[in-house]
Amino acid sequence: ESIALVFVLDSGLAEATVSAPKAWKKMAVKEGSLVEVKIKGDWKAATVVSVTDWGDSDDEEDETDGRVLKVKMSDDETEATVPIKSAREKLEGEAAEQRKTEEDEVAKQ
């Protein structure tokens, strides 16, 4: 049995993705860490259940570092497995507002 995944990016989205900082590369996560994960284009709050490290690739074009997170979503308690690049630190208060403002500015471009 085979499964095929196809990703289609419009050019504007591809440019925004390439120019975005790669904070996930230095993000330290462990079991119990509070994060936000991007699911179907929206950032959702979650708690890390486990971290699997498949090892960093020597491929310079590979945008992952081999880490995969199993997370429990805060809103409905479902679990999901996501690559580290689909996760970011959960911010609160002023820092969260600043991030939202910056994202809104990027979205306008």
Side-chain angles (χ1 to χ4, degrees):
E1 182 176 316
S2 299
I3 297 174
L5 297 175
V6 178
F7 297 92
V8 178
L9 298 174
D10 71 26
S11 61
L13 180 58
E15 290 171 11
T17 302
V18 170
S19 65
K22 297 179 180 172
W24 55 266
K25 283 194 172 190
K26 61 184 174 192
M27 188 168 76
V29 293
K30 60 183 180 182
E31 185 177 327
S33 294
L34 298 177
V35 296
E36 292 179 336
V37 294
K38 197 163 202 175
I39 305 286
K40 297 182 181 180
D42 293 323
W43 290 102
K44 301 190 180 263
T47 302
V48 175
V49 175
S50 65
V51 180
T52 302
D53 191 344
W54 295 98
D56 199 3
S57 169
D58 291 336
D59 183 356
E60 291 183 18
E61 293 182 15
D62 185 5
E63 292 190 0
T64 66
D65 67 357
R67 292 181 292 169
V68 178
L69 307 178
K70 183 174 186 179
V71 297
K72 182 179 280 192
M73 307 308 294
S74 297
D75 58 356
D76 62 6
E77 298 287 314
T78 59
E79 291 189 351
T81 301
V82 298
I84 189 75
K85 74 177 196 170
S86 295
R88 66 184 185 184
E89 178 184 7
K90 179 161 176 36
L91 300 178
E92 299 289 341
E94 189 175 313
E97 288 299 319
Q98 181 177 355
R99 178 193 279 165
K100 176 142 179 46
T101 300
E102 290 169 1
E103 289 174 346
D104 290 345
E105 289 298 317
V106 169
K108 289 179 185 176
Q109 297 177 359

